[in-house]
Amino acid sequence: MSDVAIEAVTKTFGAVSIIKGVDLAIPTGEFAVFVGPSGCGKSTLLRMISGLESVSSGTIRIGDVDVTRRPPAEGGTAMVFQSYALYPHMSVSENMSFGLRMNGAPRAEIERRVGEAARILQLEQLLDRRPKQLSGGQRQRVAIGRAIVRHPKVFLFDEPLSNLDASLRVQMRVEIARLHQEIGATMIYVTHDQVEAMTLADRIVVLNAGKVEQVGTPLDLYERPANLFVAGFLGQPSMNILDACVHAADGTQVSIRVAHGPLIGLELAAGHGLAAGEPVKLGIRPDAIRLQPRGRGEMPADVEIVEHLGDEVIAYLRLPGTPEAIIAKLEKSSGVRVGDACAIGFAVPELHVFGTDGLARTRLAHSA
Amino acid sequence: MESHVRFWRVVLLAPPLLVFGLFVLWPLADSFRYSVTNWNGFSADAAFVGLENFRKIFTDGLFANAIVNSAIWMAAALVLPTGAGLALALLLDSGVRGAGVFKSIFYLPICLSSVVVGQIWIWIFQPDWGLLNTALSAASGETFGFAWLAKPGTALYAVIVAWSWQQTGLAMVIFLAGLTAIPRDLLEAAEVDGVAYLKQISHIILPMLRPATVVVIALSVINSLKGFDILYIMTGGGPFNSSDTLAMFMYDESFKKYKMGYGSAISVVLFVITLTIIFVYFKELKKMDEIYE
Ligand SMILES: Nc1ncnc2c1ncn2[C@@H]1O[C@H](COP(=O)(O)OP(=O)(O)O)[C@@H](O)[C@H]1O
Ligand SMILES: [Mg+2]
């Protein structure tokens, strides 16, 4: 087990810059998740850590070893691929023991480790099967087993659950979380699925277009997104982003007029740099929206679509006479119906303020 | 309805079956028929001689010679193009510069007729000004005038070289296709696990190339059995029958010595050998289906 340090790492393919300067420190034993839209460079960064991809500039260190220019074998990482990458002509146990056998590990040791991995992953009954004879979930467990037997310094997962169907994905997600608890190794996990990221991670690294947008615990990122990208990317349904305008700014006291809506007063940390008349964006999570009877609330709206999810209801609201739609996540007891004329109420403490630069302005607690 | 379907089946299958019967089955049956006669190939009368031709075959020194040469020929045709084709495929697949151009160059000989290939290599082996001797002379500093195709010790092997040169491109192309079908992830997984490249070849690439290998081997064997024209062009089986293969031997006996009955008996033996090889091939093919999807 080791920590991983990534410093000023870049990657270019020909003239195209894919990773544009990434700094990260992943402490020993942490479950770090790289999340971001497809094509943002998650796999490339992971493959650079493994040594499969060369590093254009910067350094990568695993434990005490600078692995920037080392071949994959010397990094001490083990990788689990989205495609499972199992050898079709080998049995489950041969697949798991392959790396050890090829590197001349003693037989008894190989057997012990394969047995241990098979126990952890409940593969004991399947050791003699060929990959072809396994289900998708079982194949993925074998791929994980192949990583476990090597006792790597760092586990690398590249979208390991993407090929599984939805229910199996949830089940394997739990197993991976359990695996991390049981062996406590450093793990770096790549996914484009924000639910996987939120549920698995000790810390999430949000990547976008080859850059780190924000690093933090799942709750951190959810409650205090540093910018519009992170705000929009994490959370399901996405955060509502409303156009607004600074009405007045007096020190930390700022009042903001929502387009087609109310005037809201709140307190921002010093240095927010906002001045009266400046456009801003207001972010509000769907679950922070309250529906009120028309006339009482500040922002009239019509209910366009209602989705029942069982325990909760998603309502798509339209502000009359505008193209703007707002999504609300409500209690199932809210009794909202299509065609209802209502008004939107904000839980002001849960509003996020973003400047024209896309960066969040820090709210001060107890602001009203 | 039922009879309608049957009618069209018969109508549609009749032409190919007719052609197959006329040009394959009929001559095949004919060779079996002639193989028990002493027909000379043109006269009207031929006497039934029973299994006499076959008895003669197995005591004929020239047949033994042809069998040995055929075995050498086939073994070489199996090993050389397969090995060279595999090596080239691995090299070109590893992303060396200009791989596309080299693929075309190595494949080119397959597109040439064996007659042309034979002629090219006759020039290469030409004793006085051929490329090989010129190169050897230049390298050794002495005049080199060895007649490769005219010496019993080298004639067969010289033709084998020419033949392998032509067949390597085919093996290479099939192996390249096989390599493309191996997912990159598999080798990367091995690479991360610290498996050396040579071990990746022996434990992953070669086993996964088995389907391609079976095809290459089958084609090599079948082509080598058919490999008559290049021998005919380059040595004609000589000198002193030193490069005679079964096909060459059969041709000589049938059409040069006018022993059509005897030649037919040889062709029957060749047919049985071919059939055995193809039978083994299909059994192998079936076994493979059980491993790979
Ligand atoms: N070997 C390569 N050569 C050129 N471009 C590449 C290569 N590998 C990846 N890319 C490009 O880099 C970008 C990021 O790819 P990747 O890291 O796979 O994204 P992600 O895993 O986040 O979906 C993509 O635009 C992709 O096309
Ligand atoms: Mg990817």
Side-chain angles (χ1 to χ4, degrees):
Chain A
M1 276 195 265
S2 301
D3 64 326
V4 178
I6 299 171
E7 277 158 28
V9 160
T10 69
K11 175 73 190 179
T12 52
F13 287 112
V16 190
S17 172
I18 299 295
I19 300 292
K20 299 162 186 163
V22 167
D23 291 283
L24 270 180
I26 298 164
T28 304
E30 182 172 271
F31 198 121
V33 174
F34 295 175
V35 69
S38 190
C40 70
K42 307 178 295 289
S43 298
T44 305
L45 187 56
L46 195 74
R47 289 164 57 82
M48 284 197 283
I49 297 171
S50 76
L52 284 172
E53 206 76 73
S54 64
V55 177
S56 300
S57 72
T59 57
I60 297 177
R61 188 176 51 70
I62 297 176
D64 304 326
V65 188
D66 182 342
V67 297
T68 314
R69 307 264 170 254
R70 301 270 182 110
E74 293 175 27
T77 62
M79 185 135 165
V80 177
F81 294 81
Q82 175 177 350
S83 63
Y84 320 133
L86 299 181
Y87 310 118
H89 55 289
M90 296 184 202
S91 69
V92 166
S93 73
E94 284 167 344
N95 259 286
M96 290 204 285
S97 61
F98 183 64
L100 295 176
R101 279 188 285 130
M102 291 301 110
N103 288 298
R107 233 186 121 102
E109 177 67 8
I110 293 175
E111 272 174 25
R112 196 183 61 72
R113 291 202 196 178
V114 170
E116 172 198 54
R119 181 188 56 74
I120 294 176
L121 295 162
Q122 289 137 38
L123 288 169
E124 284 133 319
Q125 309 302 318
L126 306 175
L127 285 175
D128 294 325
R129 295 230 191 136
R130 289 266 165 88
K132 192 184 155 184
Q133 301 163 304
L134 301 177
S135 70
Q138 290 168 336
R139 287 180 201 190
Q140 195 50 276
R141 286 216 291 273
V142 177
I144 295 171
R146 197 169 59 188
I148 292 177
V149 297
R150 291 194 40 236
H151 293 181
K153 293 185 198 164
V154 179
F155 284 80
L156 306 174
F157 296 88
D158 193 355
E159 310 230 8
L161 307 185
S162 297
N163 285 358
L164 303 178
D165 59 47
S167 67
L168 207 50
R169 199 149 60 218
V170 173
Q171 190 186 325
M172 282 302 294
R173 203 170 74 201
V174 175
E175 286 200 33
I176 290 177
R178 190 171 54 79
L179 178 73
H180 181 244
Q181 278 176 14
E182 183 162 349
I183 61 184
T186 313
M187 295 186 177
I188 304 177
Y189 185 106
V190 160
T191 179
H192 66 270
D193 179 352
Q194 48 116 358
V195 179
E196 267 173 41
M198 294 291 285
T199 50
L200 283 171
D202 291 329
R203 248 177 0 137
I204 295 180
V205 178
V206 181
L207 288 169
N208 182 32
K211 280 199 157 129
V212 174
E213 292 279 356
Q214 194 175 359
V215 181
T217 65
L219 216 55
D220 256 356
L221 300 199
Y222 188 80
E223 292 183 341
R224 283 176 291 280
N227 52 49
L228 276 170
F229 180 83
V230 176
F233 192 78
L234 296 180
Q236 187 69 37
S238 293
M239 182 185 284
N240 295 293
I241 307 290
L242 307 175
D243 286 324
C245 187
V246 178
H247 179 74
D250 177 13
T252 59
Q253 298 294 332
V254 178
S255 61
I256 293 174
R257 161 85 60 195
V258 184
H260 320 290
L263 189 63
I264 294 165
L266 30 73
E267 195 173 2
L268 299 178
H272 56 73
L274 298 177
E278 198 175 333
V280 289
K281 301 273 186 198
L282 275 190
I284 181 155
R285 296 261 176 222
D287 55 8
I289 291 197
R290 314 272 177 266
L291 284 198
Q292 297 164 338
R294 178 72 56 91
R296 266 227 349 248
E298 298 111 335
M299 212 170 169
D302 297 322
V303 179
E304 270 200 336
I305 294 170
V306 173
E307 291 175 345
H308 293 277
L309 299 183
D311 55 339
E312 52 198 19
V313 177
I314 308 287
Y316 293 76
L317 313 168
R318 184 170 300 284
L319 310 184
T322 78
E324 300 221 36
I326 290 177
I327 300 175
K329 194 193 240 179
L330 309 166
E331 305 268 294
K332 106 181 135 181
S333 58
S334 67
V336 63
R337 276 193 313 223
V338 175
D340 280 356
C342 56
I344 294 171
F346 302 107
V348 174
E350 294 184 53
L351 283 176
H352 301 265
V353 180
F354 303 94
T356 43
D357 51 9
L359 299 181
R361 298 300 189 268
T362 309
R363 297 279 309 270
L364 292 182
H366 312 303
S367 62
Chain B
M1 182 63 193
E2 186 62 15
S3 69
H4 207 79
V5 170
R6 196 172 309 147
F7 169 76
W8 280 108
R9 265 185 205 156
V10 172
V11 167
L12 291 174
L13 280 176
L17 284 180
L18 205 69
V19 170
F20 185 73
L22 206 61
F23 294 103
V24 177
L25 293 183
W26 183 304
L28 186 65
D30 255 1
S31 346
F32 277 86
R33 200 154 57 80
Y34 297 142
S35 71
V36 289
T37 69
N38 65 357
W39 191 42
N40 63 7
F42 46 84
S43 87
D45 44 35
F48 177 77
V49 296
L51 295 179
E52 172 61 16
N53 282 332
F54 292 95
R55 195 195 57 74
K56 237 168 57 195
I57 285 179
F58 292 105
T59 53
D60 190 337
L62 285 179
F63 175 76
N65 169 60
I67 280 274
V68 169
N69 282 349
S70 279
I72 294 174
W73 174 265
M74 201 181 294
L78 208 77
V79 172
L80 296 180
T82 308
L86 179 62
L88 282 178
L90 285 173
L91 194 71
L92 293 182
D93 192 56
S94 68
V96 290
R97 230 173 267 264
V101 178
F102 282 111
K103 280 176 203 172
S104 309
I105 290 177
F106 290 125
Y107 190 68
L108 199 64
I110 283 291
C111 307
L112 302 176
S113 102
S114 299
V115 178
V116 174
V117 172
Q119 195 55 53
I120 291 173
W121 282 89
I122 287 175
W123 289 330
I124 292 176
F125 287 126
Q126 208 281 340
D128 307 318
W129 45 261
L131 192 64
L132 181 59
N133 282 354
T134 309
L136 287 174
S137 302
S140 64
E142 296 165 35
T143 318
F144 218 87
F146 194 79
W148 300 92
L149 290 169
K151 294 280 198 274
T154 54
L156 179 66
Y157 299 98
V159 183
I160 284 176
V161 168
W163 172 259
S164 303
W165 177 78
Q166 186 186 19
Q167 297 295 311
T168 293
L170 184 63
M172 177 198 76
V173 166
I174 296 170
F175 279 129
L176 272 173
L179 285 174
T180 316
I182 300 178
R184 272 268 107 78
D185 286 358
L186 253 54
L187 301 177
E188 289 187 342
E191 207 180 329
V192 174
D193 285 355
V195 179
Y197 183 59
L198 283 180
K199 285 186 172 172
Q200 289 179 31
I201 291 181
S202 59
H203 286 80
I204 303 170
I205 295 179
L206 287 186
M208 293 204 64
L209 277 181
R210 253 182 71 122
T213 311
V214 171
V215 171
V216 168
I217 286 177
L219 283 179
S220 300
V221 171
I222 290 168
N223 283 346
S224 79
L225 288 167
K226 294 195 309 185
F228 168 80
D229 33 13
I230 197 166
L231 261 174
Y232 186 80
I233 290 289
M234 290 183 70
T235 66
F240 314 116
N241 301 311
S242 64
S243 59
D244 252 356
T245 58
L246 273 180
M248 203 71 223
F249 176 53
M250 173 186 77
Y251 176 84
D252 277 354
E253 296 294 325
S254 307
F255 300 108
K256 282 194 174 154
K257 300 185 184 165
Y258 305 118
K259 293 194 281 183
M260 191 57 93
Y262 189 50
S264 296
I266 300 169
S267 77
V268 167
V269 172
L270 190 54
F271 176 73
V272 169
I273 293 175
T274 311
L275 212 60
T276 312
I277 291 170
I278 289 174
F279 179 74
V280 171
Y281 166 60
F282 274 114
K283 270 191 72 164
E284 197 56 29
L285 212 58
K286 219 172 138 211
K287 237 193 289 174
M288 215 153 42
D289 282 345
E290 288 153 21
I291 300 181
Y292 299 92
E293 268 133 320

